[in-house]
Each structure stands twice: as structure tokens, then as C-alpha cells.
Amino acid sequence: MGMRVLLFLVTNFSVVLVLSISGRVFGLDHWLAQQGMAGQLNGLLLMSLAFGFGGSFISLAISKWMAKRSMGVKVIEQPASASERWLVETVRRQAEQAGIGMPEVGVFNSPQPNAFATGMSRNNALVAVSSGLLDVMSQDEVEAVLGHEVSHVANGDMITMGLLQGVLNTFVIFISRVIGMIVDKAVFKVQRGIGPGYFIASIIAEIILGILAAIIASWFSRRREFRADAGGARLAGREKMIAALQRLQAQSEPEELPGQLAAFGISGGVKSGLKKLLMSHPPLSERIASLQQAR
């Protein structure tokens, strides 16, 4: 369930980085520096909006394609077994209940129990589960996980994340370059054009502000997980959703998830410091408690 956010954030960062470097290479920053102060700020704001929202929506547009390629998702076009037939029919039923178009349904090879949903819109989405999840969970628990992912689609979480990321991208690009201009003029005394201070300061500021933006995006993602859990409980039943989260808790707690999954996976293990702020999912214990307390 954490890969949805990880894939989007990595893709978004890559696209914005390419756009940002292109602006420097093709002299857009130099051109802005030649304008008067008002022209600099207005031009910079327009560039930041174009790069910020452009990067976000390009990431959103290719999110399904990226997920299929990076995770090796096999889309079930014609069910080849009773298990695949059940997966497709369960998603179809839940999608109808949630009032969305039928998503593509797929399976990817991974020993870790995991699942994600992604796509450009509520009616053009992909729901995928790992082979590990199908191996360790009962049918009722898999049904709840599918309900959780269908709820992400129905809630428009990817679209909302795209809009939020567009705002954050704009903030990071605009403020980092303003800081670069200030350092260039105040410290390096550059009167015309731009000097080394601009590039050094803007790059450092972009890194720091990028971390701050990731913290905000992760906080937003954690809030949406509670809502998707509630949606999964409505579509599959509260006890099934609780049982699915407890199964994930039992699978993930004895051993730390490796690499990227450690920070963005579904285990919800308790982290500290910056790692805790960058978690895209709340601890599983909090998610279970929230469902148990729901009326």
C-alpha cells in the first residue's frame, strides 16, 4: 500500500529535477536575471507554476505506466484461474459500490505482502496486489485490502496528491531561486546577471525545502490512509479490514522491511526523528485502533 506514494513521489521528483536543470541549461534563469525586480519575480512565479504543476501532472499521467514497468505488474485481462477470476470480480463489485469505473487488476511478484492503486482518474485506475499478499492472507483479508485500494481510487487520493505536490513543487522552485538571488546580490555583490552564489544557494535551498515538502506530503498521505481504511471497512466489512491489518502487523513486525519499503512500506513500524516524519503510512497499531473505535 505504500508503493503508490513512493512511486508517485520518485517520479515527480525526477520530472521536476529534469525541468529544473533544463531551465538552467537553456538559460531561463539567466534571462530572468536580466529583468527588473518585478519582472524577475513575476517571471519566476510563472516558471515555478509551470514547472511545479507540470512535473506533478506529468507524474500523475504516467503513474499507471510507471507502476506496471517498475513493479512488473501482470494485468489480468483474461482470468486464467479461479483465484484471478475472484480477484477481478471482487474489484468489479467494489468499484460498482464505490461508484467508480472498473480499474485494471494486476498481480506482481514480491514475497512481501503489499498492494497499491494508482492512475490518472477515478475511472482510469490500476489495482495491483503482490504474490506474497495472496500467499499469506485469507480471502476475506485480501477482500479488505482490495477495498482499501478501491477506496483510494474512489476518494481521488492520487489526484489530490497531484494537486498538493504541484503546490509544494511551486513553493520549492520559487523560494529556492529567490534565496539564490538574495545570496547572489547580498553576499557576492552581483549587480547584473547571476553569479555562482545564485546556483550554490538555490541548489542547497531546493534540497532543504524539498525535504520539508516531502514531510508535508507524507503527513497528508498518512491522513488519507485512515480514510481508505474506513472505506475498506465499508466495502468488505470492518472485521475483515481489522483482520487484514493485523495480518500485516504480524508479518512485518518481527523483521524490518528492507530498503525503500522500510520508509514507505505497509508495515507501519514505529520510527523516530526524520524517518517518522517521512512515513507515508501511520503505524498499523494506530490504524487498527482507529477502526476498532469507529462506530
Side-chain angles (χ1 to χ4, degrees):
M1 288 181 254
M3 287 179 293
R4 170 184 58 88
V5 178
L6 175 60
L7 286 170
F8 176 77
L9 290 179
V10 169
T11 305
N12 176 80
F13 174 78
S14 301
V15 172
V16 172
L17 182 62
V18 169
L19 292 174
S20 185
I21 292 173
S22 298
R24 291 188 172 102
V25 170
F26 290 106
L28 186 55
D29 287 356
H30 279 281
W31 179 82
L32 286 171
Q34 301 300 323
Q35 313 305 307
M37 182 57 69
Q40 281 183 352
L41 294 178
N42 289 337
L44 181 56
L45 180 57
L46 289 174
M47 184 193 77
S48 301
L49 285 167
F51 284 10
F53 279 92
S56 180
F57 282 103
I58 289 172
S59 305
L60 188 58
I62 66 174
S63 61
K64 199 160 69 164
W65 176 81
M66 278 290 296
K68 289 177 183 178
R69 287 187 63 84
S70 61
M71 301 305 302
V73 176
K74 176 193 171 187
V75 175
I76 303 172
E77 296 177 353
Q78 292 293 331
S81 65
S83 175
E84 289 187 354
R85 192 174 303 109
W86 177 83
L87 279 174
V88 172
E89 289 307 314
T90 301
V91 172
R92 188 187 309 279
R93 172 173 51 79
Q94 292 178 342
E96 290 175 356
Q97 286 180 256
I100 62 173
M102 175 64 185
E104 291 184 274
V105 182
V107 178
F108 58 97
N109 287 322
S110 172
Q112 295 290 342
N114 221 323
F116 66 88
T118 191
M120 182 70 176
S121 71
R122 287 159 45 97
N123 297 319
N124 183 25
L126 166 71
V127 172
V129 297
S130 70
S131 55
L133 184 137
L134 297 175
D135 289 340
V136 303
M137 284 193 171
S138 69
Q139 196 169 83
D140 283 349
E141 292 163 351
V142 174
E143 181 185 357
V145 170
L146 292 173
H148 173 99
E149 300 305 335
V150 168
S151 294
H152 271 308
V153 178
N155 294 339
D157 285 343
M158 286 301 292
I159 299 168
T160 310
M161 175 67 83
L163 290 170
L164 173 65
Q165 196 63 54
V167 173
L168 293 174
N169 290 345
T170 301
F171 167 80
V172 170
I173 294 169
F174 182 78
I175 299 299
S176 64
R177 280 164 169 76
V178 169
I179 291 172
M181 290 177 181
I182 292 172
V183 169
D184 217 25
K185 295 186 185 304
V187 178
F188 288 83
K189 308 299 182 183
V190 175
Q191 299 302 316
R192 298 187 63 184
I194 53 178
Y198 170 83
F199 291 106
I200 295 169
S202 64
I203 290 171
I204 293 173
E206 202 163 328
I207 293 170
I208 295 172
L209 292 172
I211 294 172
L212 176 60
I215 290 172
I216 295 171
S218 297
W219 172 85
F220 174 82
S221 175
R222 290 195 296 271
R223 305 314 304 167
R224 303 298 282 192
E225 284 306 308
F226 287 113
R227 191 177 175 193
D229 285 342
R234 284 193 299 272
L235 292 173
R238 186 173 69 163
E239 294 308 314
K240 292 180 183 179
M241 191 72 243
I242 291 173
L245 294 176
Q246 288 174 333
R247 178 76 65 182
L248 290 173
Q249 190 177 42
Q251 290 292 318
S252 62
E253 282 190 343
E255 183 178 352
E256 282 291 317
L257 291 173
Q260 293 172 330
L261 288 176
F264 294 96
I266 60 175
S267 66
V270 177
K271 304 288 192 297
S272 60
L274 184 60
K275 284 187 177 180
K276 186 173 182 179
L277 292 175
L278 290 172
M279 285 173 60
S280 63
H281 285 52
L284 285 163
S285 58
E286 291 183 15
R287 295 166 64 183
I288 294 168
S290 176
L291 285 171
Q292 289 173 333
Q293 294 164 9
R295 291 288 181 262

